[in-house]
Amino acid sequence: MPFTEDFTAYLATGDFATAATFSRTAATVNVIFDAEYQDPMGIEASGPRAWGAASDFPGIIHGDTLTISSVVYSV
């Protein structure tokens, strides 16, 4: 069964999301960004993650970037 829920409200920057620039299209997109500290298997690391609408990331590939608050993150 296809996923049909509308999550547009979650990607509103006034609520949960933040604006980011996607390098492939140079477009500003809204993402839910989490740069929370992680400790996978006892190794100290950080694991930033960003979630957004698939339609905002056409042709995304390894090496594309997202710029959030002047920090560049690689995909």
Side-chain angles (χ1 to χ4, degrees):
M1 174 175 248
F3 197 57
T4 59
E5 284 76 2
D6 181 8
F7 288 99
T8 305
Y10 290 101
L11 293 174
T13 57
D15 292 320
F16 302 103
T18 189
T21 303
F22 177 46
S23 64
R24 179 159 301 274
T25 60
T28 299
V29 296
N30 292 343
V31 296
I32 297 174
F33 180 66
D34 180 11
E36 184 177 313
Y37 172 81
Q38 293 184 47
D39 187 14
M41 298 185 293
I43 300 170
E44 293 183 12
S46 64
R49 296 175 295 266
W51 293 271
S55 60
D56 288 341
F57 300 96
I60 192 169
I61 60 171
H62 180 78
D64 286 342
T65 63
L66 276 179
T67 303
I68 303 170
S69 300
S70 300
V71 178
V72 179
Y73 297 92
S74 294
V75 174

